[in-house]
Amino acid sequence: MSDWKEGSDARLPLYQRLREEIMDRIASGEWPPGGTIPTEAELTRRYGIAVGTVRRAIDTLVNEGLLERSQGRGTFVRRPDFDASFFRFFRQVNAEGESRVPSSRILSATLSTPPVEASRALGLADNEPCLCLDRLRTLEDDSLLTEKIWLPASRFSGLLEVPLEEFGTLLYPFYEARFGQRIGSARETLTIASADASTAGRLGIAPRDPVVVIERIALGYDRTPLEYRCSMGAAATFRYQIEIS
């Protein structure tokens, strides 16, 4: 007997329906990040479809980076390392050249009207209020990044009651543990801008000095926008590195 969730769109090709089904079960927490999904044989029996169709759906999600196969162990829900992008872009060494892991601190959490780009990225109505986190990332005594992070209030109810010290260094595990919101993927855009007085003061640079701006839209496993963030760092500490083979 098939086990499609109510609301599954029968107009879609079967592999596409299964892809959406798998994403929905991941987003709901039934198949959590880091865990395995049922085997191809189990999915074939559960949904009453051919193994080739199941394999195509899984291949699509593997190519999209949401699942990963492990030989002899099964297919896992991938938990991406989102902070790695910042660590590629900004130097993380002290005066002696030793590698260090940046720390982070939430300076404030407020409810306010987001800028147009944040509202559009999150799919909010005009002037719909949004939760805003103001965060500073530091490397020892030096400011590395200043960030504004916008979250839809409907999905993060109760966030303003959380003491700032309880947010922790990594926000995505915090979102998952406290609000059941799981980040599955993200898109980032890098641009260069001039620092305004406030940003310059945060980063310890002069006003109008160049800064690298990283805009990120983070999505749930069902592709719902869950976070918009704008991070700024001094261009003098920026580096770009890529391996080409």
Side-chain angles (χ1 to χ4, degrees):
M1 180 177 179
S2 63
D3 193 24
W4 298 104
K5 277 190 174 182
E6 186 177 351
S8 177
D9 191 344
R11 296 170 299 178
L12 294 173
L14 278 176
Y15 87 91
Q16 187 71 19
R17 286 180 66 190
L18 182 58
R19 172 188 173 277
E20 299 293 327
E21 183 83 4
I22 292 172
M23 290 173 62
D24 284 347
R25 293 185 185 273
I26 294 171
S28 70
E30 182 178 347
W31 299 341
T36 58
I37 67 168
T39 65
E40 291 180 358
E42 290 171 329
L43 291 173
T44 296
R45 289 193 297 271
R46 176 179 290 195
Y47 293 102
I49 56 180
V51 67
T53 302
V54 171
R55 192 165 296 144
R56 185 176 181 185
I58 292 175
D59 285 345
T60 300
L61 291 169
V62 168
N63 291 335
E64 292 174 355
L66 296 180
L67 297 178
E68 59 183 342
R69 288 190 174 93
S70 178
Q71 188 67 32
R73 298 178 60 217
T75 301
F76 288 77
V77 180
R78 185 169 175 267
R79 191 189 293 276
D81 182 5
F82 295 98
D83 281 326
S85 62
F86 293 125
F87 300 160
R88 287 197 311 270
F89 297 146
F90 292 92
R91 292 196 295 269
Q92 305 157 77
V93 296
N94 61 11
E96 289 73 38
E98 299 170 324
S99 296
R100 291 289 185 269
V101 176
S103 59
S104 64
R105 179 163 54 99
I106 300 293
L107 304 177
S108 67
T110 58
L111 181 67
S112 58
T113 301
V116 172
E117 57 270 22
S119 181
R120 186 177 299 132
L122 295 173
L124 303 178
D126 291 345
N127 298 317
E128 182 178 345
C130 194
L131 297 166
C132 178
L133 303 178
D134 187 4
R135 184 164 79 157
L136 183 66
R137 295 195 185 197
T138 59
L139 185 62
E140 297 184 341
D141 294 329
D142 297 324
S143 297
L144 184 67
L145 293 167
T146 179
E147 299 180 311
K148 284 292 182 69
I149 300 168
W150 299 90
L151 305 166
S154 60
R155 289 182 173 264
F156 292 87
S157 176
L159 182 141
L160 296 182
E161 281 71 55
V162 178
L164 298 182
E165 62 273 12
E166 292 185 11
F167 280 80
T169 298
L170 300 178
L171 288 179
Y172 292 170
F174 169 77
Y175 296 165
E176 184 175 343
R178 296 295 287 262
F179 304 100
Q181 302 298 324
R182 299 169 181 85
I183 305 294
S185 61
R187 299 192 299 267
E188 289 183 344
T189 303
L190 275 68
T191 55
I192 301 294
S194 297
D196 59 21
S198 174
T199 300
R202 284 273 185 94
L203 297 176
I205 58 179
R208 301 192 63 79
D209 273 2
V211 291
V212 175
V213 181
I214 304 175
E215 294 177 89
R216 174 187 290 184
I217 302 173
L219 310 171
Y221 282 91
D222 59 356
R223 301 302 192 190
T224 300
L226 296 178
E227 179 199 76
Y228 172 83
R229 74 170 67 182
C230 182
S231 307
M232 295 186 184
T237 65
F238 178 81
R239 68 186 177 98
Y240 179 72
Q241 178 177 322
I242 187 172
E243 294 183 7
I244 301 175
S245 59

